[in-house]
Amino acid sequence: MNKLLSQERIEALRAINAIESTIRPSVNSIAMLVAALTAMGSGETIQRALYRVERRAPEDIKDAEELIDVLYEIGEGVIALKLERRLKELREGESSDAIAGLWELVDLLPHDAYMSFGFATECAQVRCGEHPNPQELLRDMDFDREGFRFGPAWEFWGERSPEAIRVAREAFIAHLLHAAGLGDEPEYPEPLSD
């Protein structure tokens, strides 16, 4: 069976990601949320939410979760619930609206999108075993306005290939959303047992 990534290599990759997170310029996660939700067709909802929060709780909101909490606190639960649903949809990355929102983030954060591809291929290898040519995985993974595409290099794992692709999709989305300030730092998956 394929050699799994060693624990030392996983730790090294985590350290590299931590360093990159430290030196990456900070982004305004509220601006990223507005851009993504506007691309998803919910621009009016997010603008209404920001207006209501500004009028009733003019404190500085740092991220999407805090915005949703404040909306509940000021009695705007309907708007908060809409935002929660749209943010969940974005995190799942399945719908055409979510693809549009993710594409907007890719457009706004091209370096982070590139790094997200790298993280996705690393996660697929951690989960399913090392690929003999990781660069080929990078070349055979694409994301555009239509969504994800995985080429022949992703068939390397045979019956485990669907799992590798699933893990790569989830890792890409989680990494990109984290870079946009819209999600927690993603973790590497557990390796599959032989």
Side-chain angles (χ1 to χ4, degrees):
M1 192 64 208
N2 302 324
K3 183 174 72 172
L4 295 177
L5 291 177
S6 69
Q7 191 61 36
E8 295 83 24
R9 184 164 174 203
I10 292 171
E11 291 303 320
L13 292 170
R14 283 185 178 135
I16 290 168
N17 286 336
I19 292 167
E20 288 172 349
S21 293
T22 303
I23 61 175
R24 176 187 306 125
S26 64
V27 297
N28 181 331
S29 68
I30 297 298
M32 295 294 120
L33 178 66
V34 169
L37 293 184
T38 300
M40 292 174 71
S42 294
E44 186 178 316
T45 301
I46 186 64
Q47 292 301 333
R48 190 177 327 121
L50 293 172
Y51 175 74
R52 300 267 168 76
V53 166
E54 186 179 324
R55 285 189 52 222
R56 296 192 196 159
E59 65 222 34
D60 190 28
I61 306 296
K62 294 172 190 63
D63 60 32
E65 301 302 328
E66 189 176 343
L67 174 63
I68 290 168
D69 289 345
V70 169
L71 284 166
Y72 278 121
E73 288 172 15
I74 64 173
E76 296 290 348
V78 172
I79 295 173
L81 188 59
K82 286 180 185 178
L83 291 181
E84 282 179 323
R85 276 193 232 136
R86 293 303 262 177
L87 194 53
K88 181 178 186 249
E89 183 180 353
L90 183 67
R91 288 176 178 152
E92 290 170 353
E94 297 287 338
S95 71
S96 60
D97 283 351
I99 297 297
L102 292 169
W103 179 250
E104 183 67 19
L105 295 177
V106 166
D107 192 45
L108 292 170
L109 303 167
H111 175 74
D112 292 303
Y114 175 77
M115 299 306 292
S116 297
F117 281 118
F119 183 71
T121 60
E122 291 167 8
C123 286
Q125 292 181 89
V126 167
R127 182 78 173 152
C128 296
E130 283 192 68
H131 190 280
N133 187 351
Q135 291 300 316
E136 189 177 0
L137 288 176
L138 281 172
R139 285 190 298 272
D140 263 8
M141 180 182 182
D142 191 25
F143 179 80
D144 61 18
R145 293 181 193 276
E146 302 298 317
F148 287 96
R149 279 188 298 291
F150 294 86
W154 288 86
E155 297 303 317
F156 165 77
W157 292 281
E159 63 185 39
R160 289 185 173 186
S161 292
E163 177 67 6
I165 289 169
R166 181 193 67 76
V167 166
R169 283 183 85 264
E170 289 175 2
F172 176 87
I173 292 168
H175 193 272
L176 181 63
L177 292 178
H178 174 66
L182 300 175
D184 295 330
E185 184 172 355
E187 292 288 324
Y188 285 92
E190 293 295 319
L192 288 174
S193 59
D194 287 330

